[in-house]
Amino acid sequence: MELVAALHKRKSIRGYLPDPVEKALIEDILKNAVRAPSANNTQPWEFIVVAGQMLEQIGQENVKRLRAMEMPAPEHPWFGWPKDSVFRQRQVDLAKELFSLMGIERDDKQKRDAWMELGFRYFGAPAAIFILADKSLSDAGPLIDIGAVMQNICLLAAEKGLGTCIEDQGVMYPQVLRQVAGFPQDKNILIAIAIGWPDPAFPANAVETDRVQPNKITTWMGF
Ligand SMILES: Cc1cc2nc3c(=O)[nH]c(=O)nc-3n(C[C@H](O)[C@H](O)[C@H](O)COP(=O)(O)O)c2cc1C
């Protein structure tokens, strides 16, 4: 697939068909994704790919903790959006769009909770790719490199007709990943990418997010 077409085709998929994704397909994606650049070619990324029953079990345990209102403990620097900022507004706009597509009313706590829980269950994807980095690395350092490999994974998946959703929600309870699936203690678990065949009938998959055009956010100098 042509690169520009892939950039436009990739979008977050939050509803999947139950069909499994062949291991060979994900292997191929990772083989090409690791061509991503990294500072001094340090390649700080490592992957754990979880599928099937084990992913299901992780999702259930995530949801248990979410319902118990256990404080999330992500292993990347925690980010927040200043109140009244354009960043917070964009987050609200996205939530409104997704809720509208899913028919979730603002004050329908039950449906809102169910939607939130779906995210903690990897949106029902048959597999998820977790990206980890060695704890000996600085907290923030590898994140830029990992962003590059993460985007490569999503674009390569799109080329194969697979859907992905990058998910902070999927790594909010790292201890679940360690307890249920034996993720190593000496790695930071930085991000999850749900991956699977998109369900064309799932309403939220129709989401089309917009972007601020570069002329509004670019300063040109010396031209
Ligand atoms: C670092 C990162 C974390 C994200 N975490 C979540 C998440 O936890 N749940 C979710 O539904 N989407 C998550 N997303 C997806 C974003 O909401 C999505 O990329 C954004 O709205 C742009 O939409 P698009 O991916 O469809 O182009 C995340 C994306 C990134 C880059």
Side-chain angles (χ1 to χ4, degrees):
M1 184 186 285
E2 197 236 330
L3 179 60
V4 175
L7 283 165
H8 287 272
K9 183 176 180 201
R10 186 221 58 84
K11 63 180 198 166
S12 295
I13 293 297
R14 298 180 175 88
Y16 294 88
L17 300 173
D19 313 54
V21 182
E22 264 178 67
K23 185 180 169 195
L25 279 183
I26 300 180
E27 270 176 337
D28 191 56
I29 288 170
L30 295 178
K31 185 183 84 193
N32 291 313
V34 294
R35 293 307 306 168
S38 59
N40 293 296
N41 200 23
T42 42
Q43 307 169 60
W45 45 72
E46 292 177 44
F47 310 106
I48 296 182
V49 188
V50 185
Q53 183 53 37
M54 186 175 275
L55 188 62
E56 187 86 7
Q57 214 184 320
I58 292 168
Q60 282 169 13
E61 194 56 39
N62 281 342
V63 167
K64 246 190 237 167
R65 294 189 186 214
L66 185 68
R67 286 186 185 166
M69 293 202 282
E70 183 175 315
M71 199 60 184
E75 296 181 339
H76 56 65
W78 184 248
F79 48 82
W81 301 274
K83 210 170 159 271
D84 301 327
S85 69
V86 68
F87 311 108
R88 169 81 183 134
Q89 189 54 50
R90 288 176 193 153
Q91 185 198 11
V92 170
D93 291 347
L94 173 68
K96 276 188 190 161
E97 171 82 22
L98 289 171
F99 284 2
S100 154
L101 286 165
M102 294 300 297
I104 303 173
E105 299 292 337
R106 201 180 145 73
D107 52 5
D108 190 336
K109 186 171 170 347
Q110 208 179 339
K111 278 195 182 167
R112 285 174 72 124
D113 287 353
W115 176 250
M116 171 77 86
E117 289 180 8
L118 200 56
F120 280 77
R121 290 196 285 111
Y122 308 93
F123 294 109
I129 300 169
F130 294 85
I131 309 183
L132 299 83
D134 199 90
K135 277 191 176 161
S136 65
L137 297 165
S138 69
D139 280 351
L143 288 182
I144 295 176
D145 307 330
I146 278 167
V149 84
M150 183 177 85
Q151 168 78 337
N152 279 358
I153 290 171
C154 295
L155 290 175
L156 289 158
E159 189 189 39
K160 293 182 187 300
L162 284 160
T164 52
C165 188
I166 300 163
E167 276 203 83
D168 265 327
Q169 284 173 307
V171 293
M172 283 294 156
Y173 297 120
Q175 291 316 329
V176 167
L177 294 159
R178 296 206 172 87
Q179 281 162 19
V180 176
F183 279 35
Q185 292 290 348
D186 59 344
K187 311 284 173 195
N188 283 320
I189 306 166
L190 298 176
I191 199 81
I193 306 176
I195 184 164
W197 303 105
D199 178 353
F202 190 75
N205 286 348
V207 69
E208 290 294 345
T209 53
D210 62 3
R211 297 292 188 273
V212 177
Q213 288 310 299
N215 64 352
K216 300 231 166 66
I217 49 171
T218 307
T219 306
W220 300 88
M221 296 182 181
F223 276 81

